[in-house]
Amino acid sequence: MNHPQEPVNGNSPEEEATPSQESRSEFVSPEAERSAEAEQNRQAASETASASYQNAERSSANEAHSSGESGTPPIPPIPPTRSGGGSGDGNEPPKKPRGKALLGYFLTGLLGVIVGAVIIFFAVSGLNQDDSNSSSGSLGNTSSTKSNTVEKVSYKNSTDITKAVSKVQDAVVSVLNYQASSNSLESGLGGFGSGGSSDGSNGNSSGSDSSSEQEASSGSGVIYKKANGKAYVVTNNHVVDGADKLEVTFSNGKKSTAKLIGTDEWNDLAVLEISDKNVTSVAKFGDSDALTVGETVIAIGSPLGTEFSGSVTQGIVSGLNRAVPVDINGDGQEDWEAEVIQTDAAINPGNSGGALINLEGQVIGINSMKISTENVEGIGFALPSNSVEPIITQLEEKGEVQRPALGVTLRDVDTIPEQQQSSVLKLPSNINYGAMVQQVTSNSAASKAGLKQYDVIVDINGQKITNTVELRKVLYNSNLKIGDTVKIKYYRDGKEKSTSLKLEEAKTVQQ
């Protein structure tokens, strides 16, 4: 019979497998002390691990005791884990309640959300209040409270154009043309009275007829001079043509009666004299020869009447030295070529006689005409200031422009049928140009020089004459003066001849 083997150390298996309480105390206490010294937050975990270990030892001892009786070797203890977990014998440290922790986290987060929402609400409200105040100021609404005041916001825009206009605008006026009209019974029944009478009494006649002056047309003018209680206005001849009474309206609405000093139908200019009582500004002329194509220009005048007086339009110089044909006597034939400035600044009926200025506020042209057809836009013309000044000086001093003349009436050769050029004028085949003499005024310069009807003038002082316009240019635009002698070449009966002629003063539109 075999007997169970005795333990070597003389202790029973139960005593050997089960550590004493003192040993357990020595094992746990140093670990707890070390955990307390390390950090407070790991204390709970250390206590849990220690409790697990103790439970494991108890379980091992019991199992060893049982195995000693049954002969089964002891099972080593299970090492503790971080998750812990006891056997429910009261030695396991109490777990923290998870529900309360989650509730605390939730309440803390909720409080943060509420505080953040309140902060954002007041911040956005402050921005909206600032925007509201800014909008109120920009719209010009003025309100005041005890805490703040919102003021109007204004902006003054000043450019080269506004500065130029401010220098001239008060010197540009409206010119009103009044003509006599009959108020007789005949006129009321549809008669066509002219407003005048054969005896030159301006329509004043006996009986029931009476006359009154009605506004017939209007235009613009520019005050260019002020002296000795008088002021002088330049405008277009066609603005004042046929007037029985003239009136000037200033930019401030005040009016003054105007006196016609003189006119020049060839260059479409006229000078008026007014009292300087209401004159506050005088325009200055600039150098029109210094203009360049593309330069900014500004037109000022009274388009469509005094209702739109002082209107300003902007454009550029579209062309220089343009030659525009003009019919002076209304016969449908070209009598003259006006040398003008072309601009695309809007020039409408009523702008005639107004100012065309540069960015310095200087008058460089007097608006005169425009091409007005269905297919044309933005082609207007102004008389150059360098041409205007000497003419208005003569008009102011003498009431007229004195020009040299030949004493003849003329017709362009190119308007005469080719058959008559050969049979009547007997011109050589290579001569199809020139100015034909239609009529010679008695005792005129041409009569004294021997010129006759049907003579064809082709040259004056070495300058080729192609038509009557070119002949007038030579007489009017050159340095020729009354009393000067010129050499004329002409054809008579197919032969070239020449003569000398002493220029005389022109009395009519005839040359």
Side-chain angles (χ1 to χ4, degrees):
M1 170 179 276
N2 293 330
H3 297 278
Q5 187 175 356
E6 296 290 332
V8 177
N9 54 7
N11 297 327
S12 66
E14 182 178 356
E15 292 175 349
E16 183 177 355
T18 303
S20 65
Q21 185 68 31
E22 181 178 357
S23 298
R24 287 197 301 271
S25 299
E26 290 175 355
F27 176 76
V28 174
S29 298
E31 182 180 349
E33 292 177 357
R34 285 192 300 271
S35 298
E37 293 176 355
E39 43 184 314
Q40 292 291 336
N41 59 358
R42 295 182 57 187
Q43 184 176 359
S46 298
E47 290 175 357
T48 302
S50 176
S52 299
Y53 187 76
Q54 290 175 0
N55 292 334
E57 284 186 322
R58 291 193 189 97
S59 178
S60 297
N62 293 331
E63 291 175 0
H65 180 73
S66 299
S67 64
E69 294 177 352
S70 62
T72 303
I75 300 174
I78 298 173
T81 64
R82 287 187 179 274
S83 61
S87 61
D89 58 356
N91 293 324
E92 180 181 5
K95 295 181 180 180
K96 293 183 179 180
R98 294 176 57 86
K100 292 183 178 180
L102 292 175
L103 180 60
Y105 295 150
F106 174 75
L107 293 176
T108 302
L110 180 61
L111 181 61
V113 171
I114 293 173
V115 173
V118 171
I119 293 174
I120 292 174
F121 173 77
F122 284 107
V124 172
S125 297
L127 290 175
N128 290 337
Q129 183 65 28
D130 291 342
D131 291 342
S132 177
N133 291 341
S134 176
S135 299
S136 298
S138 63
L139 291 174
N141 295 329
T142 303
S143 62
S144 62
T145 64
K146 294 181 180 180
S147 59
N148 60 358
T149 299
V150 179
E151 297 180 354
K152 288 184 177 179
V153 178
S154 61
Y155 173 66
K156 184 177 182 181
N157 184 13
S158 179
T159 65
D160 290 340
I161 292 177
T162 60
K163 292 176 182 177
V165 171
S166 65
K167 295 178 181 178
V168 187
Q169 196 164 26
D170 289 341
V172 180
V173 297
S174 299
V175 178
L176 306 181
N177 181 329
Y178 292 91
Q179 297 182 13
S181 61
S182 175
N183 291 327
S184 66
L185 180 61
E186 180 183 358
S187 295
L189 294 175
F192 296 92
S194 64
S197 61
S198 59
D199 60 1
S201 60
N202 291 327
N204 294 327
S205 60
S206 61
S208 61
D209 289 353
S210 62
S211 64
S212 63
E213 294 164 341
Q214 302 292 330
E215 181 180 331
S217 62
S218 67
S220 304
V222 180
I223 303 173
Y224 68 92
K225 182 179 178 181
K226 180 179 177 181
N228 302 322
K230 302 292 183 181
Y232 298 89
V233 179
V234 57
T235 186
N236 287 141
N237 175 67
H238 73 263
V239 171
V240 301
D241 188 33
D244 294 302
K245 175 185 174 182
L246 293 169
E247 189 175 70
V248 164
T249 302
F250 299 93
S251 60
N252 58 11
K254 295 182 179 180
K255 298 183 177 181
S256 176
T257 300
K259 176 184 177 182
L260 181 61
I261 299 299
T263 62
D264 177 21
E265 58 186 347
W266 291 101
N267 286 292
D268 195 21
L269 290 172
V271 171
L272 310 179
E273 181 183 271
I274 61 175
S275 170
D276 68 352
K277 180 180 179 180
N278 297 314
V279 175
T280 59
S281 179
V282 175
K284 295 181 179 179
F285 287 107
D287 183 5
S288 59
D289 291 339
L291 290 173
T292 57
V293 174
E295 181 178 343
T296 298
V297 289
I298 306 160
I300 308 177
S302 303
L304 306 181
T306 56
E307 182 179 359
F308 300 102
S309 63
S311 293
V312 177
T313 56
Q314 175 191 356
I316 61 171
V317 174
S318 304
L320 296 170
N321 302 318
R322 298 296 197 204
V324 179
V326 178
D327 178 12
I328 300 296
N329 54 12
D331 61 356
Q333 299 294 323
E334 178 182 335
D335 298 312
W336 180 244
E337 281 188 350
E339 291 188 1
V340 292
I341 301 167
Q342 179 185 338
T343 180
D344 66 346
I347 297 177
N348 296 294
N351 274 116
S352 294
L356 187 69
I357 66 173
N358 58 19
L359 291 181
E360 293 297 323
Q362 300 170 332
V363 177
I364 47 84
I366 298 298
N367 300 322
S368 180
M369 53 188 162
K370 65 178 291 185
I371 296 178
S372 181
T373 62
E374 184 178 354
N375 298 324
V376 176
E377 293 183 2
I379 301 182
F381 303 102
L383 302 171
S385 58
N386 287 7
S387 299
V388 171
E389 285 190 274
I391 294 173
I392 62 177
T393 298
Q394 289 191 59
L395 292 178
E396 182 186 334
E397 295 174 352
K398 302 177 181 179
E400 62 179 359
V401 176
Q402 295 180 336
R403 291 188 174 94
L406 304 179
V408 295
T409 57
L410 301 170
R411 179 179 177 181
D412 295 339
V413 169
D414 59 9
T415 65
I416 300 173
E418 184 176 353
Q419 181 181 1
Q420 292 183 356
Q421 291 182 24
S422 175
S423 61
V424 178
L425 303 181
K426 299 179 181 179
L427 292 174
S429 59
N430 63 330
I431 302 298
N432 57 1
Y433 61 90
M436 185 197 73
V437 176
Q438 281 187 313
Q439 184 178 358
V440 179
T441 304
S442 60
N443 295 322
S444 65
S447 175
K448 297 173 183 176
L451 291 177
K452 296 181 179 181
Q453 186 182 35
Y454 300 146
D455 287 346
V456 177
I457 300 173
V458 295
D459 186 285
I460 296 179
N461 278 359
Q463 297 185 54
K464 184 177 180 180
I465 305 299
T466 58
N467 51 41
T468 56
V469 173
E470 290 297 324
L471 185 147
R472 292 184 182 114
K473 286 182 178 180
V474 172
L475 293 180
Y476 299 165
N477 295 342
S478 63
N479 294 324
L480 294 176
K481 300 183 295 295
I482 297 173
D484 289 347
T485 299
V486 295
K487 185 176 182 179
I488 298 177
K489 290 182 180 180
Y490 62 96
Y491 279 89
R492 178 184 295 171
D493 295 330
K495 297 180 180 179
E496 181 180 319
K497 296 180 177 294
S498 63
T499 185
S500 294
L501 182 148
K502 187 176 181 180
L503 297 175
E504 297 180 351
E505 180 182 353
K507 301 296 183 181
T508 66
V509 296
Q510 299 177 348
Q511 281 67 50

